[in-house]
Amino acid sequence: MVIVKTTVRRDVTTLPAAEPGPENPLPPLLPLRNAHVLEERAKDGLPRDMARQLRYEPLSSPLPTRVLDGYGRERTDTAIDVIVVENDRLRATVLPGYGGRVHSLLHKPTGRELLYRNPVLQPAAFALNGAWCSGGIEWNIGATGHTTLSCAPVHAARVRAPDGGEMLRLWEWERLRDLPFQVDLWLPEDSDFLHVGVRIRNPHEKPAPVYWWSNIAVPDERRVLAPADEAWQFAYTGALRKVPVPEFEGADRTYPRRSEYPADYFYDVPDGARRWIAALDDTGHGLVQTSTDLPRGRKLFLWGTGTGGRRWQEWLTEPGTGGYAEIQSGLARTQLEHVRLDAEAEFSWLESYGPLSAPADRVHGDWAGAREEVAARLADALPRESVDAAYGAWLACADREPGEVLAVGSGWGALEVLRAGYKLPGTPFAESTLGPDQAPWLDLLHTGAVPEPRKVAPPGPTLVAPHWRDMLETAPARPLAEYHLGIAQWHADDRAQAVRSWERGLELAPSRWPLLRCLAVADRAEGNTERAADRYAEAFDDLCQERRDDGAVWTAATAALGHEAITALLAAHRTEAARAVWTRLGEPTRTEGRFRLLEAQLLYAEGDMAAVRAVFESGFEAADLREGAETLGELWTAATGEEVPERYDFRMRPAES
């Protein structure tokens, strides 16, 4: 037999894709709607360490990242850069432009795709900053939810593997927690298992909250097995409860299609037990994931068979392509927790992914027997000791400097390395990656001042970490500096001082709308609906007078501010003013699905129920619907008194009685 040497190579694949679109230039001062919010009373009686981690620095907003909400639902065949890691047994296809997601993991001897390989790239509003795509294996770092890197590029390069061959290194600077991380994909020659070494470093002088979950999409016609007899269930009603595994409320919940509504099951893997999770089909074939002991969490997410779950799957994939579930591996018991990483310390571990086969009658028999069978098959295919040995071999190579660069991520890591002089062996953040977004912050770093813009344009991104906030505090108090300072103060929960900074900036600002919009958000957060409406109306008027062209940046700013302004004016029951903003939006913007929904809301406020029905019956798709959103159904029922049509039903929980 000829053994194929492991290779790492660039390639291009073509997929029907909707572009993630331009960044929303309005700073996200408040969190996007979060479906994973636990009721306060549900925290009573939880294990002490879990309760502590549930309360440990939850995210207050997606800052300093910007929201990606400018995508649509029209897909065109698009050439996508990929990196292929391959030996004679497995072929892993990675998308460096989408957070380093493993798009496909093919077992070559059997021709089986081990993952759910999404046939399209369709952004949807599931990430912490908006755009996210489903399928494959994604690396979630930052905070509860899908990473802000879901539709963003990461750095990628070849590195010499522990066995002397090649492995693929992915790395980036995670901006929500200000931490660098790396993911090394190592496929030893003649191996059926892809090893993935993960390292998260805290270069700062204080502890940092860390979140990590590896999310693995698999076809949902599987049984999901893990070494546990109990699980923590979260079912989008705000409750977290301990339930038995496999049977709960009359059904075996280890089969994703035996639940009606979406739910999370976080398996309570006993201390000392081997960490693994598998998804096997009716013939006993499928995927297994295992790891060293640090990632204690294992989870099943299922969409369920209800109307809402089916609709979401059509929304994220393509009708007729089959459903999927997610099996997951994380640092904590649940995804609602964040783990403390000490100052100048690191977390590292190894995960392994590969095929697993077992007799179907055992896999689909009683729970104890099925678990024992899968555990035994895994022990034969990849002993626990082999994973530990592979981890040790990989860790010795984790500092190796990358070779040929295969993809380039953002320049934010380079800016942080320049600022603090961090030494991060193995993950170089080259100055060549610095770009226009980092340029004003380089000026602040070198001169102590925020440069005033040379041309009229929406402000660039704001940095909010304490060290940048300190620099902004001592910078000359020019309007743009006050704008950025207020955002950093708001992020630090110093809201009163943020408002004062924005008000100071407003006194001399040649461009008033960015500051007025920030003040309007502050008013809404304080419940001052009327003043928020006034400021939004003034801000939108100022933007329309200042707008210079119909390019992507100004169009995105006008659409974003117009959407917020109409929403605020409707909340203040000022329908005429809301209609005035609507008429000033460009025709291409008004025809977008998310603005058709806004139009229906405006018509409802004006009392024209027939027109609301007409908007729905004409058909539209609000591309930026968020996980758990019930807006469409609520509006339809309020306007018509009728049951929600299936195409508009995205409910992830039972209707409240």
Side-chain angles (χ1 to χ4, degrees), residues 435-501:
D437 283 345
Q438 292 81 43
W441 301 96
L442 275 175
D443 280 352
L444 175 62
L445 183 63
H446 294 317
T447 70
V450 177
E452 286 297 294
R454 296 177 181 175
K455 64 178 183 178
V456 177
T462 302
L463 296 181
V464 296
H467 40 267
W468 292 106
R469 188 173 70 248
D470 290 345
M471 282 186 256
L472 289 168
E473 291 274 7
T474 58
R478 300 167 184 159
L480 186 57
E482 295 288 4
Y483 164 82
H484 287 304
L485 174 58
I487 295 169
Q489 290 166 331
W490 181 274
H491 182 263
D493 204 28
D494 190 354
R495 295 191 170 187
Q497 190 58 54
V499 168
R500 285 192 285 272
S501 295

Side-chain angles (χ1 to χ4, degrees), residues 73 75 309-320:
R73 299 280 303 164
R75 298 186 287 266
R310 292 198 311 272
R311 186 69 184 101
W312 272 118
Q313 297 218 51
E314 292 174 351
W315 190 256
L316 296 169
T317 59
E318 198 168 62

Side-chain angles (χ1 to χ4, degrees), residues 266-564:
F266 299 101
Y267 295 111
D268 196 12
V269 179
D271 291 341
R274 185 177 186 183
R275 302 344 189 174
W276 59 267
I277 189 166
L280 305 180
D281 64 17
D282 56 2
T283 65
H285 301 297
L287 171 80
V288 66
Q289 188 266 9
T290 187
S291 73
T292 49
D293 289 347
L294 183 64
R296 67 180 302 180
R298 291 298 187 276
K299 172 193 164 183
L300 163 65
F301 167 75
L302 53 87
W303 282 108
T305 58
T307 302
R310 292 198 311 272
R311 186 69 184 101
W312 272 118
Q313 297 218 51
E314 292 174 351
W315 190 256
L316 296 169
T317 59
E318 198 168 62
T321 57
Y324 77 94
E326 289 179 356
I327 58 175
Q328 306 181 14
S329 170
L331 285 176
R333 280 194 186 98
T334 73
Q335 289 176 325
L336 308 175
E337 303 167 65
H338 300 109
V339 181
R340 174 187 168 116
L341 177 56
D342 289 333
E344 300 178 339
E346 66 179 47
F347 287 144
S348 65
W349 66 92
L350 188 91
E351 306 179 14
S352 300
Y353 298 80
L356 191 93
S357 295
D361 60 336
R362 292 282 286 166
V363 168
H364 299 284
D366 72 277
W367 180 243
R371 280 175 40 200
E372 289 172 4
E373 183 67 32
V374 172
R377 297 281 174 162
L378 174 60
D380 288 341
L382 186 67
R384 187 174 188 177
E385 298 76 17
S386 296
V387 175
D388 292 338
Y391 169 63
W394 165 76
L395 194 58
C397 303
D399 282 351
R400 280 183 180 165
E401 290 305 311
E404 180 189 359
V405 173
L406 301 174
V408 178
S410 78
W412 296 112
L415 181 66
E416 292 302 326
V417 169
L418 275 175
R419 180 194 63 81
Y422 295 129
K423 304 300 181 185
L424 300 168
T427 54
F429 292 95
E431 288 189 40
S432 61
T433 63
L434 294 167
D437 283 345
Q438 292 81 43
W441 301 96
L442 275 175
D443 280 352
L444 175 62
L445 183 63
H446 294 317
T447 70
V450 177
E452 286 297 294
R454 296 177 181 175
K455 64 178 183 178
V456 177
T462 302
L463 296 181
V464 296
H467 40 267
W468 292 106
R469 188 173 70 248
D470 290 345
M471 282 186 256
L472 289 168
E473 291 274 7
T474 58
R478 300 167 184 159
L480 186 57
E482 295 288 4
Y483 164 82
H484 287 304
L485 174 58
I487 295 169
Q489 290 166 331
W490 181 274
H491 182 263
D493 204 28
D494 190 354
R495 295 191 170 187
Q497 190 58 54
V499 168
R500 285 192 285 272
S501 295
W502 291 326
E503 289 174 340
R504 281 197 306 271
L506 195 60
E507 293 174 4
L508 298 174
S511 179
R512 294 170 52 82
W513 66 265
L515 292 151
L516 285 167
R517 182 264 176 181
C518 288
L519 290 167
V521 173
D523 287 333
R524 289 203 74 182
E526 290 296 318
N528 196 331
T529 305
E530 289 295 330
R531 191 165 68 183
D534 288 339
R535 281 176 162 161
Y536 265 120
E538 185 181 356
F540 188 75
D541 184 64
D542 187 69
L543 182 148
C544 289
Q545 294 181 47
E546 185 176 284
R547 179 173 174 166
R548 293 295 187 266
D549 56 49
D550 292 326
V553 174
W554 279 111
T555 298
T558 306
L561 185 57
H563 199 290
E564 287 189 14

Side-chain angles (χ1 to χ4, degrees), residues 66-379:
R66 289 181 151 190
V67 173
L68 286 170
D69 59 5
Y71 49 86
R73 299 280 303 164
E74 292 186 10
R75 298 186 287 266
T76 58
D77 286 346
T78 305
I80 305 293
D81 290 331
V82 302
I83 302 173
V84 178
V85 184
E86 183 173 16
N87 67 2
D88 63 329
R89 310 290 296 175
L90 286 176
R91 180 188 302 131
T93 304
V94 178
L95 307 183
Y98 289 79
R101 174 189 303 269
V102 178
H103 179 62
S104 166
L105 187 61
L106 180 71
H107 187 233
K108 294 164 70 173
T110 60
R112 294 193 186 102
E113 173 59 61
L114 301 181
L115 307 174
Y116 174 78
R117 180 186 179 276
N118 197 334
V120 302
L121 285 176
Q122 175 57 61
F126 277 61
L128 291 164
N129 65 334
W132 168 82
C133 294
S134 64
I137 307 171
E138 58 174 317
W139 319 112
N140 284 295
I141 181 172
T144 299
H146 292 281
T147 176
T148 61
L149 295 166
S150 294
C151 291
V154 296
H155 301 284
R158 284 192 180 91
V159 181
R160 185 160 55 87
D163 59 0
E166 293 183 333
M167 66 180 177
L168 171 63
R169 175 160 300 161
L170 309 169
W171 73 99
E172 244 309 347
W173 195 278
E174 201 289 307
R175 301 181 65 210
L176 297 181
R177 303 305 194 181
D178 221 16
L179 302 175
F181 72 98
Q182 72 187 76
V183 178
D184 288 357
L185 282 73
W186 169 33
L187 187 54
E189 291 183 13
D190 201 30
S191 174
D192 275 332
F193 283 85
L194 174 69
H195 294 318
V196 179
V198 183
R199 179 166 63 167
I200 304 170
R201 289 188 273 199
N202 178 8
H204 306 296
E205 295 178 350
K206 64 176 184 178
V210 168
Y211 172 94
W212 183 280
W213 283 80
S214 302
N215 290 11
I216 310 140
V218 293
D220 65 1
E221 293 180 320
R222 300 285 188 272
R223 189 181 201 187
V224 174
L225 301 106
D229 291 314
E230 294 181 303
W232 295 94
Q233 186 218 38
F234 181 82
Y236 295 84
T237 58
L240 182 68
R241 56 181 172 171
K242 181 73 78 71
V243 300
V245 176
E247 287 217 8
F248 171 59
E249 293 184 342
D252 187 333
R253 306 297 175 175
T254 62
Y255 291 90
R257 292 195 173 186
R258 295 185 185 177
S259 293
E260 183 176 2
Y261 292 99
D264 298 328
Y265 290 91
F266 299 101
Y267 295 111
D268 196 12
V269 179
D271 291 341
R274 185 177 186 183
R275 302 344 189 174
W276 59 267
I277 189 166
L280 305 180
D281 64 17
D282 56 2
T283 65
H285 301 297
L287 171 80
V288 66
Q289 188 266 9
T290 187
S291 73
T292 49
D293 289 347
L294 183 64
R296 67 180 302 180
R298 291 298 187 276
K299 172 193 164 183
L300 163 65
F301 167 75
L302 53 87
W303 282 108
T305 58
T307 302
R310 292 198 311 272
R311 186 69 184 101
W312 272 118
Q313 297 218 51
E314 292 174 351
W315 190 256
L316 296 169
T317 59
E318 198 168 62
T321 57
Y324 77 94
E326 289 179 356
I327 58 175
Q328 306 181 14
S329 170
L331 285 176
R333 280 194 186 98
T334 73
Q335 289 176 325
L336 308 175
E337 303 167 65
H338 300 109
V339 181
R340 174 187 168 116
L341 177 56
D342 289 333
E344 300 178 339
E346 66 179 47
F347 287 144
S348 65
W349 66 92
L350 188 91
E351 306 179 14
S352 300
Y353 298 80
L356 191 93
S357 295
D361 60 336
R362 292 282 286 166
V363 168
H364 299 284
D366 72 277
W367 180 243
R371 280 175 40 200
E372 289 172 4
E373 183 67 32
V374 172
R377 297 281 174 162
L378 174 60

